[in-house]
């Protein structure tokens, strides 16, 4: 079993989502489902991409997703997003999730990944990013 990846001292990027992990999002062990966390990160990254494209976006790919620490029921989960690059129709966004546990003011880095969003028109077809 390998040790957790080194934690960056501070979150990187803008706050895009802040929520509380609820019991309905937990698995039988009492930990939060990875899929729930990915969906929060995807939503957060999409908020940044939508603001960048000034229009609709869709998720094209998710790369390098690392689950570093578990998320517990009751944790305050904050997602931070940072624009890494813009192509013709696509945008690459780095998303980090950090948590604050009960009775602890420290933020812990729990997850990170890189999401690719594509700007789309009303028919769902790629269109140039309109910055
Ligand atoms: C994303 C989607 C619109 C791309 O459509 P497409 O016809 O394949 O478009 P293109 O091949 O012209 O690619 C468009 C851009 O996306 C990028 N792209 C497409 N697939 C990609 C992938 N898997 N990884 C990284 N970039 C990707 C291309 O490089 C291109 O970028 P650029 O214009 O900046 O150079 C289409 O595949 C789609 O609708 N996918 C489903 C999206 C979805 O439902 N998401 C929610 C998942 S539940």
């Amino acid at each position: 079993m390998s040790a957790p990846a080194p934690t960056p001292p501070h979150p990187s990027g803008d706050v895009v989502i802040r929520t509380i992990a609820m019991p309905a999002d937990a698995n039988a062990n009492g930990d939060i489902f990875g899929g729930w966390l990915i969906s929060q990160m995807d939503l957060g990254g999409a908020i940044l991409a939508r603001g960048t494209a000034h229009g609709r976006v869709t998720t094209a790919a998710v790369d390098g997703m690392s689950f570093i620490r578990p998320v517990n029921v009751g944790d305050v989960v904050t997602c931070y997003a940072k624009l890494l690059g813009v192509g013709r129709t696509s945008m690459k966004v780095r998303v980090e999730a950090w948590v604050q546990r009960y009775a602890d003011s420290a933020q812990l880095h729990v997850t990170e990944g890189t999401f690719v969003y594509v700007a789309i028109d009303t028919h769902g077809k790629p269109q140039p990013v309109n910055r």
Side-chain angles (χ1 to χ4, degrees):
M1 187 84 161
S2 60
T7 300
H10 303 291
S12 175
D14 299 332
V15 173
V16 282
I17 294 266
R18 178 166 263 187
T19 186
I20 295 181
M22 300 298 280
D25 304 312
N27 61 26
N29 301 326
D31 298 324
I32 294 299
F33 283 116
W36 178 82
L37 194 53
I38 293 173
S39 73
Q40 299 303 311
M41 295 169 74
D42 188 15
L43 287 170
I47 288 171
L48 185 90
R50 210 163 87 158
T52 303
H54 299 290
R56 294 178 64 185
V57 299
T58 190
T59 311
V62 184
D63 292 323
M65 185 64 72
S66 297
F67 293 94
I68 301 156
R69 293 180 180 80
V71 176
N72 302 329
V73 170
D75 286 353
V76 174
V77 178
T78 307
C79 296
Y80 297 82
K82 185 176 174 181
L83 189 65
L84 295 184
V86 179
R88 194 179 80 82
T89 67
S90 67
M91 293 150 284
K92 194 178 269 196
V93 178
R94 184 86 181 149
V95 184
E96 296 179 2
W98 290 65
V99 297
Q100 252 179 304
R101 309 227 192 263
Y102 270 127
D104 190 351
S105 60
Q107 285 219 90
L108 291 173
H109 185 208
V110 290
T111 313
E112 61 187 26
T114 303
F115 293 72
V116 177
Y117 298 93
V118 174
I120 50 170
D121 63 18
T122 52
H123 304 290
K125 298 294 175 206
Q127 66 176 2
V129 172
N130 173 18
R131 300 184 81 182

